[in-house]
Amino acid sequence: MSETTFMGVERDKIDWKPTIDYTKCDYCMECVKFCPHKVFEVRESEVIKLIVRNANNCVVFCRACSKICGPDALSFPDKNATTQRIKEIRREESNG
Amino acid sequence: MVENFAILPCNGLDKCAGVISREIAIKLCENGKNEIICPVYYRVAETKYNKIAGEHALLVIDGCHNRCASKLAAEKKLKISRKITVTEEAKTHHIELKRNLRLLENEHALIESILNGLNNVDNTIVLTLEETNFVFEFVYETYQSGKFLFRIPKNQEVYFNENDCWAWVIGNRARIGVTDFVQQNLSDILYFTPPGIGAEIDQFGEAGEIESSKSVFELISPVSGKVISINETLIQKPELINENPYELGWVAEIELTDSESDKELLIGFDQYFEIMKKKVEELNG
Ligand code: SF4
Ligand code: SF4
């Protein structure tokens, strides 16, 4: 349950994941080493060597990997907007 | 404004100044943000008023120089944050008090002046939970996985978010920290970066960082509000978080802005305990 929902809301409905700014990322792969949730995927032979593969594995409200990213290439959605959205969904679902 | 105060007035019924004290106390409580302590009932309802006094800053209103209200506060070992004496105030405002026990024009004018005076001063005395001597008595449920023991508080005042942080909510204050899950995962904690005192934090906003050789953990605040105190001991001894992240290892205290709305996205012990057990299993599996 905890892997597919957050606060009772389907994880799929919550937009929370890191976004990689490829103009800044230097493919040091620190974020990959750091995050235990297999959010990122390394693609050695591609031009774009790192992608966000499993967005839903990213822990809602976690921003930890952005702290260890030297070039500051990782960004996240607006926290307050996400909080509001989760509350809305919860209300809709308890009414419906 | 006078807000978040416990108000202990002289309640002298046989003196004009006493009647005025009582009236001021009532007026101050009309905003719904202060609590009155009845000096008479205090004699028999000790627990009730000790609790109120423990959760608020204390404003004492003495009628005259007999200082009955102050003496009662001293007797009950309460810490006084602000104090006024009605007869003194009358002098300052050049109003002569007579013997009448009903409030007339004169007295109402004095009451108005005193209230203005009280409300115009910056009363933002923010009493931390430490200063109120609040006692945190955590009751734990434990979960053992291999050599790791996880303690989770069962107290109903303690709330959690799914990001493994807890908040003990008392009135409009909360103490926050991380759970044993975080502490066990990080293993030996080497650094603690506290949130800034006075910082306004949103729910799920960052409230400090802890770091071990393994990883960094950003504390995700379960509640929204203003940081009024931090656990300074942790700066020198971050390992206290490993010892017990609820008691000596607490992180910060927050003056809450919207705890009812925060609670919509918080969970209690039952839910958190299940979620945490699952996370532990996943890590091991
Ligand atoms: S840590 Fe930052 S720079 Fe390094 S790979 Fe990840 S996103 Fe790119
Ligand atoms: S935010 Fe947290 S969970 Fe999400 S990818 Fe980064 S480290 Fe992993």
Side-chain angles (χ1 to χ4, degrees):
Chain A
M1 199 189 121
S2 63
E3 63 268 34
T4 51
T5 63
F6 180 81
M7 295 309 304
V9 173
E10 254 176 71
R11 181 61 184 84
D12 210 28
K13 291 186 179 166
I14 306 169
D15 171 33
W16 188 269
K17 59 168 191 310
T19 300
I20 306 165
D21 181 343
Y22 292 106
T23 65
K24 292 182 181 169
C25 174
D26 60 12
Y27 298 123
C28 69
M29 306 304 176
E30 285 298 325
C31 54
V32 185
K33 266 195 266 167
F34 176 82
C35 176
H37 302 286
K38 303 189 174 64
V39 174
F40 300 98
E41 186 182 80
V42 182
R43 307 190 302 175
E44 279 306 341
S45 51
E46 310 278 325
V47 183
I48 292 178
K49 296 190 191 321
L50 177 75
I51 57 164
V52 172
R53 162 65 77 195
N54 302 305
N56 284 356
N57 282 6
C58 178
V59 176
V60 181
F61 299 124
C62 180
R63 286 168 293 255
C65 52
S66 69
K67 301 265 155 165
I68 51 107
C69 170
D72 200 14
L74 295 170
S75 62
F76 289 88
D78 179 65
K79 170 178 42 62
N80 288 340
T82 308
T83 311
Q84 287 316 318
R85 187 70 197 119
I86 294 174
K87 286 187 181 173
E88 268 168 38
I89 299 173
R90 282 165 59 99
R91 271 184 220 119
E92 281 163 20
E93 287 180 354
S94 64
N95 290 338
Chain B
M1 293 306 291
V2 179
E3 279 181 13
N4 296 322
F5 274 85
I7 300 175
L8 174 62
C10 148
N11 198 14
L13 299 179
D14 58 353
K15 286 198 192 80
C16 186
V19 180
I20 292 175
S21 307
R22 172 180 183 276
E23 185 67 16
I24 294 171
I26 293 171
K27 284 236 154 75
L28 285 173
C29 290
E30 277 170 353
N31 64 4
K33 292 182 172 143
N34 298 307
E35 295 271 358
I36 218 160
I37 296 180
C38 170
V40 183
Y41 196 42
Y42 201 163
R43 304 264 176 217
V44 289
E46 179 130 41
T47 324
K48 168 184 168 147
Y49 291 123
N50 282 347
K51 181 164 184 281
I52 292 177
E55 291 168 356
H56 297 79
L58 184 68
L59 166 63
V60 168
I61 309 174
D62 279 318
C64 63
H65 283 281
N66 285 336
R67 303 173 49 248
C68 299
S70 290
K71 284 177 192 160
L72 178 61
E75 184 188 317
K76 303 285 184 191
K77 300 195 170 54
L78 304 182
K79 184 175 155 251
I80 300 175
S81 295
R82 277 204 78 181
K83 197 164 102 151
I84 54 165
T85 306
V86 173
T87 48
E88 284 299 311
E89 296 282 330
K91 272 187 218 152
T92 323
H93 294 286
H94 307 291
I95 293 177
E96 200 191 330
L97 293 180
K98 306 258 172 50
R99 304 177 66 95
N100 50 306
L101 297 179
R102 294 245 178 252
L103 300 171
L104 303 172
E105 206 179 323
N106 217 16
E107 290 75 39
H108 279 300
L110 177 59
I111 291 169
E112 271 317 298
S113 308
I114 295 177
L115 286 172
N116 280 339
L118 279 171
N119 278 324
N120 287 337
V121 184
D122 185 11
N123 276 296
T124 36
I125 297 177
V126 181
L127 216 60
T128 64
L129 293 167
E130 253 180 337
E131 286 165 328
T132 62
N133 294 323
F134 185 86
V135 188
F136 292 85
E137 281 186 54
F138 284 94
V139 183
Y140 303 107
E141 180 77 49
T142 56
Y143 175 64
Q144 179 99 32
S145 171
K147 63 181 171 102
F148 296 109
L149 184 72
F150 300 88
R151 293 155 297 190
I152 303 299
K154 296 198 280 191
N155 310 56
Q156 59 167 359
E157 300 88 349
V158 181
Y159 296 83
F160 303 87
N161 59 19
E162 290 191 26
N163 307 89
D164 308 295
C165 299
W166 58 269
W168 183 315
V169 178
I170 310 138
N172 67 340
R173 299 274 190 282
R175 185 172 269 194
I176 62 171
V178 300
T179 68
D180 258 353
F181 180 77
V182 172
Q183 172 272 114
Q184 294 286 28
N185 262 305
L186 288 173
S187 70
D188 296 340
I189 292 165
L190 305 172
Y191 299 103
F192 165 63
T193 315
I197 290 187
E200 301 276 352
I201 295 182
D202 296 318
Q203 188 179 28
F204 301 111
E206 181 184 336
E209 258 175 40
I210 48 184
E211 205 176 325
S212 68
S213 54
K214 253 172 102 181
S215 192
V216 191
F217 182 84
E218 176 189 294
L219 197 134
I220 297 180
S221 181
V223 291
S224 55
K226 186 161 95 189
V227 179
I228 53 171
S229 105
I230 55 155
N231 186 355
E232 289 183 17
T233 330
L234 292 185
I235 299 170
Q236 298 302 326
K237 294 183 172 175
E239 66 274 13
L240 289 176
I241 301 175
N242 290 117
E243 278 172 33
N244 186 320
Y246 312 104
E247 296 177 24
L248 291 177
W250 62 277
V251 167
E253 280 178 14
I254 312 283
E255 184 182 30
L256 303 173
T257 38
D258 198 354
S259 69
E260 282 316 304
S261 151
D262 291 345
K263 283 178 191 166
E264 273 187 56
L265 293 184
L266 294 176
I267 49 180
F269 164 79
D270 291 338
Q271 265 180 294
Y272 181 70
F273 198 60
E274 290 311 310
I275 290 174
M276 189 208 65
K277 280 198 278 190
K278 223 169 218 152
K279 288 194 200 182
V280 174
E281 282 161 19
E282 275 165 22
L283 277 177
N284 293 340

